[in-house]
Amino acid sequence: MRETVTVLAPTEPGFDWDTGTETPAPIVALYSGPARVKPDREASGREVNAGESNVALHSYLVSLPWSASGVRPPVGAQIRVDSSPEARMSGLMLWVTGVRYGSTATAWRITAEDRS
């Protein structure tokens, strides 16, 4: 595991009864540490329309150490690549699309996509 990542997820938004407004959900770090980030071989990039612009979605597989198995990021959480031997990967922001399970897994595997 050569990359360092931070897994970010929003908590529950609040509602202020005095003002009648909803406060945005604060973002918390669920995990920060070593990981492996690689393109998902089973999925290729695809173009979709988001609003009025085209967006290319690329799938990635993020592996966290087994000791981080208590961290179950919800779909929509973000994974920020903080450092990587591949300089172009540093700063990459990925969105969690699912978590993979397996009885013989040796790492915590998360599917994510780059929405750039």
Side-chain angles (χ1 to χ4, degrees), residues 58-74:
H58 300 281
S59 295
Y60 286 83
L61 185 60
V62 180
S63 299
L64 302 181
W66 190 250
S67 60
S69 63
V71 178
R72 185 173 191 269

Side-chain angles (χ1 to χ4, degrees), residues 7-60:
V7 179
L8 304 164
T11 58
E12 291 294 319
F15 186 79
D16 187 348
W17 290 98
D18 295 330
T19 62
T21 59
E22 191 169 334
T23 57
I27 304 292
V28 296
L30 298 177
Y31 172 80
S32 185
R36 181 176 67 178
V37 180
K38 65 178 188 170
D40 193 352
R41 293 183 301 138
E42 298 172 3
S44 59
R46 66 184 198 279
E47 288 189 22
V48 296
N49 288 324
E52 294 184 12
S53 59
N54 288 333
V55 176
L57 300 177
H58 300 281
S59 295
Y60 286 83

